Amino acid sequence: MPTGPIFMSKDLKGTNPKGTSKDSEKLRVGLQVPVPKDNGPAGAAVPSPMQGGHLHYTGEVGPIVYTQSPVLENVPIMLTHPGIWDALGLALTPFTDSVAAKDPLTLVESDIQPFQEAWVSMVDADTGEPVLDSHSGKPITFVGANPVDVPNCSNCHSNETGNGDKYTLYKQEKAFWKALGASDWIANLKATSVSILEMHDDNNGTDFLKNYKPGGRDTMNRIGRDPILCQKCHADNVIGVLQSKSFKDPKTGKEKVIMPLTQAIHGVHLKATPMPDSQGRTGACQGCHPVHRQDGSMEGYPITQDGKNAYAASDNRDAAGGCFVGRDVHSNPGKDTDGVETPEHLNAIGEWLQENVSQIGNGGNGKGLWCTNCHTQLSRELYQRDALTNAFKQEGKTLRNKSLTEIAKGIGVSMKELEEMMDPKVILDGKGHDTPGKSRILEIWEQDRLVPDIAVIALKGDDPMINKDED
Ligand code: HEC
Ligand code: HEC
Ligand code: HEC
Ligand code: HEC
């Protein structure tokens, strides 16, 4: 939840009656604008629907907040769309009310229910009475699902897969919670936090565990300090922290900007634990982008209890579903038989992927696309070269509607390299790691690929627009 870094002026609509950017006039989410229990960051505008609240109309401009960071000051961030009714950032958990009422220490992984039902009813603004449907005579209600899940960091960080034999604090932490009657899953989650902090301290010179007493009996604050907010140091645009802190690099003694959170977390793991399947496609994505199922079944779960790819000898795409597998038309093996038969509208890249990877929509009886066919360096290269006047109709300048030969030429790679970029594979070294400089998967999160013009949000003349506070 954004606290501190993001501020709003008067309300979430970006209203700023005094036209000021003075720090003293800012209202920060979580500070001057309190976030009540069970409310999202926009809690002030939307009373918790769990307590009979109502949706909020986003108006003509949509809900807007501004960043507060030294260089990228006052960058407006639109949180959802204008002209819709929303309940922004609801504080949800993936547990039903009855499960959540249990002693939290006893929760188990199969208690997770990642799709929370949301019901919305239409009521008369003045009387609060339900509005009746003129055809059925029944109250007008709608239902939808909110996805929310827990990642599987603990499958590696509460055992030797993540810790090796070098990091050991997790063992005592696990034993502490087990002795209090915690389930294995909860004890492993607790142990994981300590493992991650211990490794971070050791590798990067932080002192997160300075006050941690492994033998201590405290259950409320085991690490003896405020919670660690990764974004205090690592940039993360999803909560409006557009600029990382810098640190003194112990190797060179020079000030260096800390890498963004996404680069740090993906870079380290996709290199150290690439988890290829028999096709060479990484299964690591589903270790962290979690894949629990609504029915609680853990059968066919893609990451094993000890952090291995359950599909190492077969195909990642055989997993029994999950957040993203099979969801999109291009990755849905049932797309030609599900009664909808949605057309794919393929360009040259799409046709290549259909022929060489997905084999759906062409009678090939294939398994669809994998994460790394869409989340590629190629998609960023294409994006970088787009100068669209109408993105929906693909009008303006773009490489996307060109032939593969023209696309390869346009981004300056050979045909062979283009093929590697469309279907990137793990390239294992002797230690079972993926290989930087060779792997097209790692390329996505590499420093020298984070080209500056992807980060320019607005221009002033030919230069990036720089916003500064009046104070
Ligand atoms: C498939 C196993 C696996 C999973 C899942 C996993 N990790 Fe890791 N993690 C590792 C390994 C192995 C290392 C050590 C990597 C190295 O030193 O090269 C590590 C290292 C780390 C580090 C220290 C990095 C550094 O260099 O300081 C952090 C922080 C971390 N993991 C956080 C997480 C978080 C958060 C999650 C879940 C969102 C997660 N990990 C999920 C295996 C895993
Ligand atoms: C007090 C500042 C600070 C905080 C807070 C912080 N980090 Fe870091 N982190 C660093 C520094 C400094 C480095 C080394 C940076 C570099 O080389 O760019 C680093 C490096 C990392 C790396 C290793 C990157 C690599 O390629 O070696 C990972 C992963 C990481 N941090 C994850 C996290 C996570 C997850 C959190 C929140 C739990 C977090 N960090 C909180 C300062 C911080
Ligand atoms: C070690 C855990 C871990 C692994 C492995 C992992 N992710 Fe992530 N991913 C995260 C976290 C944590 C975030 C949120 C980062 C943030 O807020 O900056 C994230 C964010 C993302 C995003 C949002 C945009 C961005 O870059 O932050 C995308 C897209 C994504 N991951 C795709 C993937 C794909 C594809 C793979 C496999 C190739 C993958 N991830 C593997 C932990 C992981
Ligand atoms: C067919 C192409 C395709 C496949 C396959 C695919 N994605 Fe995505 N993914 C997208 C697109 C496009 C978006 C952006 C959607 C949007 O704008 O809301 C996205 C969004 C995401 C996000 C959210 C990013 C954000 O900023 O909110 C994550 C995380 C993610 N994908 C991870 C994955 C993982 C993990 C897999 C594999 C298990 C996967 N995706 C498979 C195309 C794909």
Side-chain angles (χ1 to χ4, degrees), residues 279-317:
Q279 308 291 305
R281 297 193 186 100
T282 175
C285 319
Q286 302 228 84
C288 298
H289 293 283
V291 290
H292 295 101
R293 301 178 63 75
Q294 189 69 2
D295 62 10
S297 168
M298 294 297 292
E299 208 163 307
Y301 202 72
I303 181 169
T304 62
Q305 284 302 318
D306 61 347
K308 303 274 155 37
N309 184 350
Y311 296 86
S314 50
D315 192 311
N316 292 330
R317 296 169 296 174

Side-chain angles (χ1 to χ4, degrees), residues 22 41-42 52 78 93 108 122 166 190-191 270 322 361 399 403 423 460 469:
K22 273 197 184 134
M78 195 199 287
T93 72
V108 293
M122 205 170 181
K166 187 170 177 201
K190 301 282 192 185
L270 290 171
L399 286 175
S403 70
D423 189 19
K460 197 173 190 178
D469 269 2

Side-chain angles (χ1 to χ4, degrees), residues 236 238 261-262 266 269-270 282 284-285 288-289 371-372 375 445:
D236 188 1
V238 81
L261 187 59
T262 179
H266 289 108
H269 289 90
L270 290 171
T282 175
C285 319
C288 298
H289 293 283
C371 326
T372 45
H375 293 280
W445 286 282

Side-chain angles (χ1 to χ4, degrees), residues 238 285-286 289 291 323-325 327-331 369-375:
V238 81
C285 319
Q286 302 228 84
H289 293 283
V291 290
C323 275
F324 299 99
V325 174
R327 189 178 74 171
D328 176 272
V329 63
H330 308 294
S331 52
L369 296 183
W370 181 240
C371 326
T372 45
N373 297 123
C374 298
H375 293 280

Side-chain angles (χ1 to χ4, degrees), residues 206-324:
T206 45
D207 59 2
F208 297 146
L209 291 184
K210 195 170 64 177
N211 303 327
Y212 169 64
K213 293 183 195 68
R217 309 309 300 162
D218 190 357
T219 55
M220 295 310 286
N221 188 346
R222 302 277 302 149
I223 57 173
R225 52 159 290 165
D226 286 344
I228 288 140
L229 189 64
C230 313
Q231 292 90 345
K232 275 222 164 114
C233 299
H234 295 275
D236 188 1
N237 48 5
V238 81
I239 69 158
V241 181
L242 303 183
Q243 177 88 353
S244 285
K245 283 230 173 72
S246 54
F247 74 113
K248 195 172 239 150
D249 187 344
K251 278 178 229 134
T252 61
K254 289 208 184 94
E255 282 292 307
K256 200 176 137 196
V257 177
I258 299 174
M259 62 182 83
L261 187 59
T262 179
Q263 183 191 351
I265 202 101
H266 289 108
V268 163
H269 289 90
L270 290 171
K271 175 167 170 266
T273 49
M275 304 164 81
D277 67 3
S278 70
Q279 308 291 305
R281 297 193 186 100
T282 175
C285 319
Q286 302 228 84
C288 298
H289 293 283
V291 290
H292 295 101
R293 301 178 63 75
Q294 189 69 2
D295 62 10
S297 168
M298 294 297 292
E299 208 163 307
Y301 202 72
I303 181 169
T304 62
Q305 284 302 318
D306 61 347
K308 303 274 155 37
N309 184 350
Y311 296 86
S314 50
D315 192 311
N316 292 330
R317 296 169 296 174
D318 294 336
C323 275
F324 299 99

